[in-house]
Amino acid sequence: MPVIAVVNRKGGSGKSTVAAHLAAWLAHQGCAVMLGDVDRQQSTRAWLRRRNAALPAIAPWTIDQKNVLRVPSGITHVVLDTPGGLHGFDLARMVMFADAILMPVCNSAFDREAAAACHAELMALPRVASGRCKLAAIGMRIDARTRAAQVLGDWATELKLPFLSVLRETQLYVQCLERGMTIFDLSGQKTATDTQQWQPILDWLAPILNPAPAATPQQVPTTSPDSPLNRVGASRPDSLMPAQESLVPGGRIGGVQANRQAQASALASKVLATAQHSSLQQRQQIPAFLRQTG
């Protein structure tokens, strides 16, 4: 289940606009997408309430009997609109399960400085630094008559931050969002420029939103029994999702796909059965998340 987070610690940078449009595009591709609003202002949740039921559906969070936020059943893609000021433990917790982060940036000295500080903090996190969580920037509210796009491109190049595209300053975005829509819900020539500007962003996200299928058993190389790959805890199996912690007070992400749950349960049962006949030292080698399963 790919998770795309839209992050920038500065308010007013266009996070909700990017998140809503990405969710709408996924919905038009036939994906079962959830738009999760982690911001206390709940801007995108209010936008979802204005969305016409005749348009491709976008799901919000569900709340279970314990008042915990969860991903609805059947969801295949998640887009998260995050709050301004996200940093420290909350930012690290977000990165723990995000597959990609989009950082919208406006062209002002204040916006660039805030985005640079956020980028530096993100690059200090292992998942981002190693490339397991992809990171890229988008220019927001760019006037084509100015050098704003060039300034932002040079800024991103200096930071070695991928700079995907710029979205122009236009009332079309404002008018669409007020009606619970996006430019992807419209047709005709008046959206041609905007959809063209979105194309590099969608191309960059394509391998993340549509990951390659897992290798077949014949393609997986065999290893000896003593290989480090065969030791419990040597590496996280691809079938297991990262730990999903709370995002907002009282909230946790759930909803891991059924096949991943079955694989995780089977692996945990096998490990625990082996552990019952092992010494205490061997049992301590079992990862905590496997010991607690079942």
Side-chain angles (χ1 to χ4, degrees):
M1 182 173 60
V3 178
I4 311 300
V6 185
V7 176
N8 189 330
R9 64 179 52 171
K10 189 177 186 305
S13 59
K15 294 187 293 294
S16 296
T17 297
V18 171
H21 276 74
L22 180 56
W25 182 83
L26 284 166
H28 277 280
Q29 307 312 303
C31 300
V33 59
M34 187 202 84
L35 177 56
D37 197 335
V38 189
D39 193 345
R40 284 182 171 83
Q41 293 182 354
Q42 296 290 288
S43 300
T44 50
R45 191 174 183 87
W47 173 78
L48 281 175
R49 288 196 292 267
R50 295 193 297 270
R51 189 166 176 79
N52 193 309
L55 294 172
I58 301 172
W61 294 107
T62 58
I63 302 178
D64 65 13
Q65 295 178 347
K66 296 181 180 180
N67 198 32
V68 173
L69 297 176
R70 294 190 181 279
V71 176
S73 176
I75 291 298
T76 60
H77 295 74
V78 172
V79 179
L80 295 178
D81 181 18
T82 67
L86 191 67
H87 66 281
F89 179 72
D90 291 333
L91 182 63
R93 186 168 51 187
M94 180 73 64
V95 171
M96 280 294 293
F97 58 88
D99 297 292
I101 293 173
L102 291 175
M103 182 186 296
V105 185
C106 296
N107 184 42
S108 76
F110 298 117
D111 286 89
R112 293 194 301 271
E113 289 173 2
C118 185
H119 172 260
E121 186 172 357
L122 284 167
M123 291 305 297
L125 300 174
R127 275 180 57 78
V128 178
S130 65
R132 287 175 290 167
C133 177
K134 306 295 184 183
L135 172 63
I138 306 170
M140 299 296 293
R141 306 188 188 101
I142 301 302
D143 188 339
R145 297 169 298 181
T146 69
R147 295 185 62 255
Q150 183 63 47
V151 171
L152 278 176
D154 293 343
W155 167 83
T157 299
E158 185 177 350
L159 292 178
K160 298 181 179 179
L161 172 64
F163 189 69
L164 305 180
S165 183
V166 297
L167 304 183
R168 65 175 180 149
E169 176 73 51
T170 172
Q171 283 296 304
L172 189 58
Y173 282 106
V174 177
Q175 295 166 3
C176 285
L177 294 172
E178 286 179 348
R179 297 161 55 193
M181 301 174 67
T182 69
I183 61 170
F184 297 119
D185 298 312
L186 303 177
S187 59
Q189 288 298 317
K190 69 177 181 179
T191 63
T193 298
D194 300 294
T195 53
Q196 185 177 9
Q197 290 180 337
W198 269 92
Q199 196 56 52
I201 302 170
L202 302 175
D203 290 343
W204 182 81
L205 287 171
I208 302 165
L209 297 174
N210 303 288
T216 61
Q218 290 79 9
Q219 294 172 315
V220 177
T222 58
T223 57
S224 65
D226 295 330
S227 170
L229 294 178
N230 288 331
R231 292 201 299 268
V232 174
S235 63
R236 180 174 62 83
D238 291 338
S239 60
L240 298 180
M241 295 292 287
Q244 297 177 337
E245 299 288 343
S246 62
L247 297 178
V248 294
R252 290 196 299 271
I253 285 186
V256 178
Q257 294 180 17
N259 64 329
R260 284 174 171 166
Q261 289 178 327
Q263 293 171 357
S265 178
L267 179 60
S269 298
K270 181 178 179 180
V271 171
L272 290 175
T274 303
Q276 291 175 354
H277 299 87
S278 303
S279 65
L280 177 61
Q281 182 179 5
Q282 291 172 319
R283 290 197 300 271
Q284 289 174 341
Q285 295 176 357
I286 300 173
F289 69 90
L290 290 179
R291 293 204 304 269
Q292 294 171 359
T293 305

